Amino acid sequence: MLDVNINSMGFRSSEGAALEVLRDLHFNCAQNSFTSIVGPSGCGKTTTLRCILGLETEFDGVIKTSDASGHLHKISAVFQEPRLLPWRTVEQNVRLALKSVDDTELNTLFAELALTEHRDFYPAELSLGLARRVGLARAFAVKPSVLILDEPFVSLDDETAGRLRKLLMQVWAARSCTALMVTHNLLEAIELSDRILFFSGSPSRVVSEYEITVDRKNRNRRTIEQIREDIYASGAASPVD
Amino acid sequence: MGRIAGGRLPAWLISVGGLLLVWAVFAWFAQSRSLPSPLQVASAIVTEVRSGEMFFHMGATLARVAAAFVVAMAIGSAIGILLGRSRKLNHFFDPWVIFFLNIPALVIIVLSYIWFGLNEAAAIGAVALNKIPNVIVTIREGAKSLEPQLAEMAKVFRFSRWQMLRHVVLPQLQPFFAAATRSGISLIWKIVLVVELLGRSNGVGFQIHLYFQLFDVATILAYTLVFVVVMLAVEYLLLQPLEKYSRRWRAKHA
């Protein structure tokens, strides 16, 4: 389980002006669930993820990433920019994240993400879609119990993004981990998530949430749009968001 | 790269040939011991090579160049990375760096011999000390501009300190190492000759000093030419292939 309780988080500009980004942000993600965060731009969604990843430490609050027995969760991330080391090959990039490497597992993962032929390529030789797939491979390779995804499919064409979402679902379903994704795209959130959290503008908090009960297998274009209408009707979010 | 064999090499040959021709013409008109012809210099080279002197002194000088280079790069890089990463340290030590950057090489050499004696360690140390501030300034620039995104990635995936240095930091500094190496080797070998002239009993600098006293310009030029050729070989056969290898990942797009 992932339990986020941030009372307040802010930045100080170089001129000393304080800007509060998050206030009274409380939510948790059930074990092995897929949760999406949707909200207006600049509302602190990415900041929330950075707090969970331990990249921001100056906040008032507690983020629990351990399970009931107190066992610390292994967290990994898929960044918005793939953040691969340009001077290492695809395979080296993935292996570097691993403490111990199981070659069979790695082969399976590369095969699942259709990366087998690209193992010896350098990131500069990959398209953005491919680089994103390597980012996914690296994030799953470490066998995380919590997976953080920061707009993993942004600035891809619809077709590529759609294919990548299907791949993500396959790989995620085959392993068990708690996923938390930030996205601008409500339809994408509906396609992937068990639950959607809607964030308010700055300083942001969770204004509403929506549980998706339709089985993932039955989510197609039509049902996804129906769910969207239902979300608008329930008042959890409005079409302008 | 095919152009080197096809188009650029002949142009390069013509250029060098032209220089030799101008030299030969001047030497022929001068007919003086202080301006020997290319042929006289060539025969001086042969004499020195036959007697074994050339290899002995060239080897001594090259060993000093290599030692001073390694010491300067290691110490300079470590300090450069430190200063580039810590604003406070950089603030404090910046005047020190500027101070050492501006001490004339000759002063460092003389003081080094006075304080530490006429020995090999003092000689190599003096050369390295001349180069270290340059390395610091170059590497510091690189360390200031490290990509924070990659550092965060390394933190999330729990890279060890060693992994961080080897796979994240050093590759980003590679262009700065290349620049420091390039300017470093040319600076170091010039200073090594001065160090040898002032306080060593072997090496190219020592030989040039000796033949200066004998007024043997042909042999002075013989050592100079051979040394320049050796340094060119280091550049083309060692530095450039190394740099090309370290840039292999900047490949063409698929």
Side-chain angles (χ1 to χ4, degrees):
Chain A
M1 200 180 84
L2 173 66
D3 197 359
V4 176
N5 288 292
I6 297 174
N7 301 323
S8 174
M9 151 90 206
F11 292 110
R12 203 163 278 282
S13 75
S14 44
E15 270 99 56
L19 173 73
E20 195 176 32
V21 188
L22 308 171
R23 186 190 296 160
D24 293 326
L25 179 69
H26 306 286
F27 67 89
N28 57 54
C29 306
Q31 186 138 18
N32 299 342
S33 68
F34 197 115
T35 308
S36 288
I37 297 174
V38 176
S41 347
C43 77
K45 302 184 296 278
T46 297
T47 306
T48 309
L49 298 190
R50 292 175 59 83
C51 289
I52 297 170
L53 287 172
L55 297 176
E56 302 287 348
T57 49
E58 304 281 303
F59 61 86
D60 169 25
V62 184
I63 294 173
K64 246 192 265 175
T65 55
S66 52
D67 55 26
S69 59
H71 200 78
L72 213 70
H73 279 328
K74 196 187 268 179
I75 308 183
S76 83
V78 178
F79 299 95
Q80 210 177 100
E81 304 301 325
R83 300 203 191 182
L84 304 171
L85 299 171
W87 36 83
R88 295 288 178 265
T89 62
V90 165
E91 177 154 1
Q92 288 168 336
N93 263 287
V94 175
R95 278 177 185 266
L96 273 171
L98 301 171
K99 295 283 165 279
S100 62
V101 185
D102 180 333
D103 283 319
T104 357
E105 271 177 36
L106 204 58
N107 291 341
T108 319
L109 190 60
F110 277 129
E112 276 179 289
L113 287 163
L115 284 169
T116 310
E117 293 166 24
H118 300 99
R119 290 169 90 129
D120 296 328
F121 281 52
Y122 286 101
E125 300 167 319
L126 305 176
S127 64
L128 180 60
L130 264 167
R132 290 256 163 89
R133 255 145 66 189
V134 180
L136 283 175
R138 179 175 62 187
F140 278 108
V142 302
K143 289 190 247 168
S145 31
V146 175
L147 174 65
I148 300 294
L149 303 120
D150 187 5
E151 304 206 44
F153 309 119
V154 78
S155 58
L156 290 174
D157 60 86
D158 289 345
E159 204 192 313
T160 313
R163 238 181 317 144
L164 273 188
R165 281 195 285 270
K166 294 223 160 49
L167 272 178
L168 168 63
M169 269 304 117
Q170 277 171 26
V171 179
W172 177 72
R175 293 158 180 80
S176 52
C177 72
T178 310
L180 179 63
M181 177 179 80
V182 154
T183 178
H184 281 297
N185 182 341
L186 182 55
L187 294 176
E188 175 172 290
I190 296 170
E191 182 182 340
L192 299 174
S193 326
D194 298 304
R195 197 165 61 119
I196 302 175
L197 303 172
F198 293 93
F199 272 38
S200 68
S202 188
S204 58
R205 60 196 172 80
V206 180
V207 277
S208 56
E209 56 175 89
Y210 185 90
E211 199 97 23
I212 301 175
T213 45
V214 180
D215 193 277
R216 274 202 188 75
K217 283 197 293 274
N218 302 326
R219 291 183 202 170
N220 52 36
R221 205 195 197 122
R222 205 172 51 80
T223 47
I224 286 172
E225 278 177 7
Q226 269 171 6
I227 295 171
R228 181 171 65 170
E229 290 314 311
D230 189 45
I231 290 173
Y232 290 156
S234 74
S238 60
V240 276
D241 292 344
Chain B
M1 283 285 122
R3 279 188 58 213
I4 285 186
R8 259 166 63 193
L9 195 59
W12 184 83
L13 267 178
I14 291 166
S15 167
V16 173
L19 186 64
L20 281 174
L21 195 70
V22 170
W23 173 11
V25 168
F26 270 94
W28 190 78
F29 276 110
Q31 290 294 342
S32 153
R33 237 172 80 87
S34 50
L35 184 56
S37 71
L39 268 178
Q40 284 170 306
V41 172
S43 84
I45 292 176
V46 171
T47 313
E48 291 297 300
V49 168
R50 282 232 175 106
S51 67
E53 294 279 288
M54 180 66 82
F55 292 113
F56 173 70
H57 294 288
M58 193 66 67
T61 298
L62 281 176
R64 286 187 190 112
V65 169
F69 174 77
V70 169
V71 171
M73 286 302 283
I75 296 178
S77 304
I79 298 178
I81 292 175
L82 220 60
L83 296 191
R85 296 316 291 162
S86 161
R87 200 178 278 231
K88 270 187 200 155
L89 282 180
N90 188 32
H91 222 71
F92 184 82
F93 285 108
D94 192 46
W96 294 33
V97 175
I98 295 173
F99 176 75
F100 280 100
L101 205 53
N102 285 293
I103 299 182
L106 191 59
V107 174
I108 292 182
I109 296 166
V110 169
L111 289 181
S112 176
Y113 277 145
I114 291 174
W115 288 337
F116 304 108
L118 287 173
N119 55 52
E120 202 63 50
I124 289 168
V127 178
L129 200 55
N130 273 299
K131 174 60 190 160
I132 285 172
N134 278 301
V135 181
I136 293 177
V137 170
T138 310
I139 301 295
R140 181 175 63 182
E141 224 37 63
K144 273 183 188 167
S145 57
L146 289 180
E147 195 68 67
Q149 289 207 330
L150 292 179
E152 288 180 356
M153 182 281 293
K155 193 178 172 201
V156 167
F157 286 102
R158 309 212 175 136
F159 279 31
S160 64
R161 266 167 173 263
W162 166 242
Q163 281 182 315
M164 179 77 187
L165 188 69
R166 175 161 147 63
H167 302 287
V168 183
V169 174
L170 292 184
Q172 290 186 71
L173 293 179
Q174 189 275 327
F176 298 88
F177 283 122
T181 303
R182 192 56 57 71
S183 70
I185 290 208
S186 60
L187 180 72
I188 282 176
W189 83 259
K190 287 169 193 161
I191 301 176
V192 164
L193 293 204
V194 179
V195 167
E196 289 173 343
L197 182 147
L198 287 176
R200 298 278 76 207
S201 51
N202 55 28
V204 175
F206 172 80
Q207 286 298 89
I208 287 177
H209 185 53
L210 176 73
Y211 287 105
F212 165 61
Q213 286 163 336
L214 300 175
F215 228 73
D216 184 346
V217 182
T219 311
I220 291 177
L221 285 176
Y223 274 98
T224 312
L225 282 186
V226 171
F227 205 90
V228 169
V229 168
V230 168
M231 292 326 280
L232 279 177
V234 168
E235 165 82 23
Y236 285 107
L237 301 179
L238 195 70
L239 294 187
Q240 288 198 3
L242 255 179
E243 201 178 328
K244 207 176 152 198
Y245 174 75
S246 67
R247 293 168 61 90
R248 68 203 177 284
W249 54 273
R250 297 179 199 264
K252 59 284 153 197
H253 285 255

